[in-house]
Amino acid sequence: MDSTQLSVTCIAPVNIAVIKYWGKRNESLILPINDSLSVTLSTADLCSKTKIIADAKFTDNVMILNGKEENFENERIQRCVKEIKARAAELGSCPKELLEWKIHIESENNFPTAAGLASSASGYACLVYSLAQLYDLKKQEISDIARMGSGSACRSIYGGFVQWQKGIQLDGKDSIAFQVAPASHWPDLHVLILVVNDSKKKIGSTSGMARSVVTSELIKYRVEKCVPQRIHSMTQAIKDRDFSKFAEVTMKDSNQFHAICLDTFPPCVYMNDVSHEIVNYIHEFNRTEGETKVAYTFDAGPNACLYLLEKNVKRVLSFVNHIFPNDNQKSAEYVRGIPVEYESEDVNEFQNYPQYEKNTLKYIIHTKVGEGPSRVD
Amino acid sequence: MDSTQLSVTCIAPVNIAVIKYWGKRNESLILPINDSLSVTLSTADLCSKTKIIADAKFTDNVMILNGKEENFENERIQRCVKEIKARAAELGSCPKELLEWKIHIESENNFPTAAGLASSASGYACLVYSLAQLYDLKKQEISDIARMGSGSACRSIYGGFVQWQKGIQLDGKDSIAFQVAPASHWPDLHVLILVVNDSKKKIGSTSGMARSVVTSELIKYRVEKCVPQRIHSMTQAIKDRDFSKFAEVTMKDSNQFHAICLDTFPPCVYMNDVSHEIVNYIHEFNRTEGETKVAYTFDAGPNACLYLLEKNVKRVLSFVNHIFPNDNQKSAEYVRGIPVEYESEDVNEFQNYPQYEKNTLKYIIHTKVGEGPSRVD
């Protein structure tokens, strides 16, 4: 270690909720009105990467995000940095003067923003995890601090299956994430993200959920009655590796989340006609296959995230490729992430399903459940 | 009167709910799980017309709907005919032998089925009203019988603003419609129906609502908590002719109905991307106008029904025509129903709103609140 400079580089994963987070009880601390539960995705295919250099000679704090300088005074960044430093100071985990050095942060995502995937979860998880490495807070709970950057970031602090408990304390100290099961518990849980071509402006999730809390009447019932039961069923499904149950609760909760958005006034609409077609096709597919082989879930955008078992990837992908033909169908640029070996053509197998117009999907990402953040330098 | 033949011809109106009916507690009697409230539309623009001939010499019952013979044994038709005859027999309202004569029914709608407007409400209301005329049940409650043909038909038995009370009796005797206010109470309440070009197959409302009752969790809360409050607010808004309140409750209830459909498993989706764009545009329009001038509501299909005051029709229609340009923009074939006089062109007024592609709407129907069924022969 150069005595006047310290550097860490870390990666952190994306997570996709199966029980959705929607609605805050405290806007500034980012405290949710309900528990949520997510699957952490493999950093091999999707991740944020953050390098932090602390240097005694730096005169300014700097934040560069995907090659562009960000305002370091951004409230959420400030809160994360301040909270991590306070924790380090309190515990004396690192030399005091290190906490006074300015830092240069460079962060990037290995997936395009255009993918419509929430990069804030992996981004803030990576920022907070990297800061914790820098200030030697390695064994400390930091999901509550990641949460202050972006709510769902707290779930990206852990790998595998992660629950964010809403907590009941006013200061949010108990609004933290914990691992329900590690990735190794169910390693054959795979994911296909169908990135839909869409140009529509949409309501940001922060303002969307604020509007839902104020105007939706149904959200009260969801929060009080539906989510607790679903968290329970989902946890059990994960423990039992019961894909059919996992899929059912995932699909129902995605639908209910979008129902709440529609019950908001004015309504927030995130799914589009293509999203709804995907939903129809998946129900149809599961029915004709005679078992639930695939589940959909949609966040605050039109892209579908499909959960499925590894053994069914090839078949489901053939189905998706039939429905949504693409000029680059089998190129690695169209189907990204974990490579899929295509067997012989079974072109006619899905011929009863009408096809959508070509290139309706931008591309597909094939990935799987994965580990939490890690240091890579 | 030819002593061996009797004939009646009647018309009955369409109604559009502002508090939606969705979900039955008894499938065969068609008893709903919540009250609903609708506006009856003028028969001058939209109606069903039914001619019934009873003849001692007829050997068969015949039903011709829009020029095509229907199966008279159809359960719903049978139930309506049987119930009306039973009531007439019980009350002795007409000669006994008349009840034994076979009948020929010819019914047609003056609007195309392709309009996506529920023709079953006006159709069954017209059938039951015509039968009641034939058997001289002129002062009797018949909305409960119309209800057995098609739930919302009971609301088409009355003009103006009509509530269908769900009732609590098992036999459905108290599940009837009543007039909240006559059409004359608020005669300047107009309606624009935007008929959207759409080819998608959709789930019929009978099976959709059955599925919602079984699978939606949110529907319980809607039925128990939301609808009773909304019926109260809506009734008050109508009594006060408070358009702004009327509009708000109408839009919120339309949104909530579609939220319930989305919370159904598998979900029922009736609105499409164009429907949602209409919603966005209307919120935007009301905001920039500085007052709520127009309200949307959507039934089990993509078409928008807009409520607005007569004085705002021209302006709203100019707005709609800007957003959705059409090759026949100002022809009577495109804007049907009550004629609209266009003033000088104010082309630039809405230029900040992006335009949709041409001919997205099939046509527009301009109508207004109107009277209940009547005899026209």
Side-chain angles (χ1 to χ4, degrees), chain A residues 198 200-201 203 215 217-222 225-226 229-230 247-248 251-252 255-260 262-267 269 271-274 276-277 279-280 283 287 296, chain B residues 198 200-201 203 215 217-222 225-226 229-230 247-248 251-252 255-260 262-267 269 271-274 276-277 279-280 283 287 296:
Chain A
D198 186 61
K200 221 178 69 186
K201 277 186 305 177
I203 307 120
T215 64
E217 298 196 26
L218 301 177
I219 200 170
K220 299 174 189 75
Y221 192 78
R222 164 169 171 73
K225 301 285 181 185
C226 305
Q229 281 174 15
R230 285 177 178 183
E248 184 193 325
M251 293 187 281
K252 284 185 172 171
N255 294 339
Q256 187 171 88
F257 153 51
H258 291 281
I260 295 300
L262 202 44
D263 186 51
T264 298
F265 194 75
V269 174
M271 294 170 75
N272 65 17
D273 285 350
V274 176
H276 290 297
E277 280 297 342
V279 167
N280 284 341
H283 282 290
R287 190 165 51 241
Y296 55 79
Chain B
D198 186 60
K200 222 177 69 185
K201 277 187 306 179
I203 307 119
T215 65
E217 298 197 25
L218 301 177
I219 201 170
K220 298 173 190 76
Y221 191 79
R222 164 170 171 74
K225 301 285 180 181
C226 306
Q229 282 175 15
R230 285 177 178 181
E248 184 192 324
M251 294 188 279
K252 283 185 173 173
N255 294 338
Q256 187 171 89
F257 153 50
H258 291 281
I260 295 300
L262 202 44
D263 187 51
T264 298
F265 193 74
V269 175
M271 294 169 76
N272 65 17
D273 284 350
V274 175
H276 290 297
E277 280 296 340
V279 167
N280 285 340
H283 282 290
R287 191 165 49 240
Y296 56 80

Side-chain angles (χ1 to χ4, degrees), chain A residues 21 23-26 29-36 143-144 147 154 163-178 223 227 231:
Chain A
Y21 153 52
K24 299 184 183 80
R25 64 177 206 274
N26 181 315
L29 291 173
I30 311 191
L31 302 178
I33 57 175
N34 62 265
D35 284 24
S36 55
S143 71
D144 57 331
R147 190 203 72 225
C154 72
Q163 183 174 338
W164 173 12
Q165 65 180 22
K166 65 185 171 79
I168 50 168
Q169 293 180 30
L170 288 177
D171 63 5
K173 282 273 176 0
D174 59 346
S175 187
I176 56 174
F178 61 89
V223 162
V227 173
I231 288 278

Side-chain angles (χ1 to χ4, degrees), chain A residues 75-117:
Chain A
E75 195 192 344
R76 292 174 169 218
I77 296 171
Q78 279 296 311
R79 218 176 322 160
C80 290
V81 173
K82 205 183 111 208
E83 291 287 333
I84 278 280
K85 285 190 175 184
R87 201 154 294 179
E90 191 190 328
L91 296 169
S93 64
C94 67
K96 251 188 183 169
E97 70 268 26
L98 174 57
L99 295 174
E100 279 150 29
W101 295 358
K102 302 290 183 194
I103 52 179
H104 285 190
I105 304 172
E106 231 183 298
S107 190
E108 56 183 29
N109 306 315
N110 75 344
F111 53 93
T113 313
L117 293 161

Side-chain angles (χ1 to χ4, degrees), chain A residues 150-165:
Chain A
S150 172
S152 55
C154 72
R155 296 189 310 240
S156 277
I157 291 295
Y158 298 99
F161 302 83
V162 183
Q163 183 174 338
W164 173 12
Q165 65 180 22

Side-chain angles (χ1 to χ4, degrees), chain B residues 82-221:
Chain B
K82 205 183 112 210
E83 291 287 333
I84 278 280
K85 285 189 174 182
R87 200 155 294 180
E90 192 190 326
L91 296 168
S93 63
C94 68
K96 250 189 185 169
E97 70 267 27
L98 175 57
L99 295 174
E100 278 150 30
W101 294 358
K102 302 289 182 194
I103 52 179
H104 285 189
I105 304 172
E106 230 185 297
S107 189
E108 57 184 27
N109 305 316
N110 74 343
F111 54 93
T113 314
L117 294 162
S119 57
S120 60
S122 54
Y124 279 101
C126 207
L127 171 66
V128 170
Y129 185 85
S130 304
L131 287 166
Q133 293 290 314
L134 182 69
Y135 301 132
D136 227 350
L137 287 162
K138 285 164 193 162
K139 294 280 173 201
Q140 300 302 314
E141 177 63 50
I142 53 168
S143 71
D144 58 331
I145 299 178
R147 189 203 72 224
M148 295 185 216
S150 173
S152 55
C154 72
R155 296 188 312 238
S156 278
I157 291 294
Y158 298 98
F161 302 83
V162 184
Q163 182 173 339
W164 173 12
Q165 64 181 21
K166 65 185 172 77
I168 51 169
Q169 293 179 30
L170 288 176
D171 63 6
K173 282 271 177 358
D174 57 346
S175 188
I176 56 173
F178 62 89
Q179 192 178 66
V180 171
S184 59
H185 170 71
W186 204 357
D188 54 336
L189 188 71
H190 278 232
V191 167
L192 292 172
I193 299 169
L194 312 187
V195 179
V196 173
N197 267 312
D198 186 60
S199 56
K200 222 177 69 185
K201 277 187 306 179
K202 56 181 194 236
I203 307 119
S205 58
T206 297
S207 60
M209 67 175 80
R211 204 197 279 173
S212 291
V213 169
V214 175
T215 65
S216 168
E217 298 197 25
L218 301 177
I219 201 170
K220 298 173 190 76
Y221 191 79

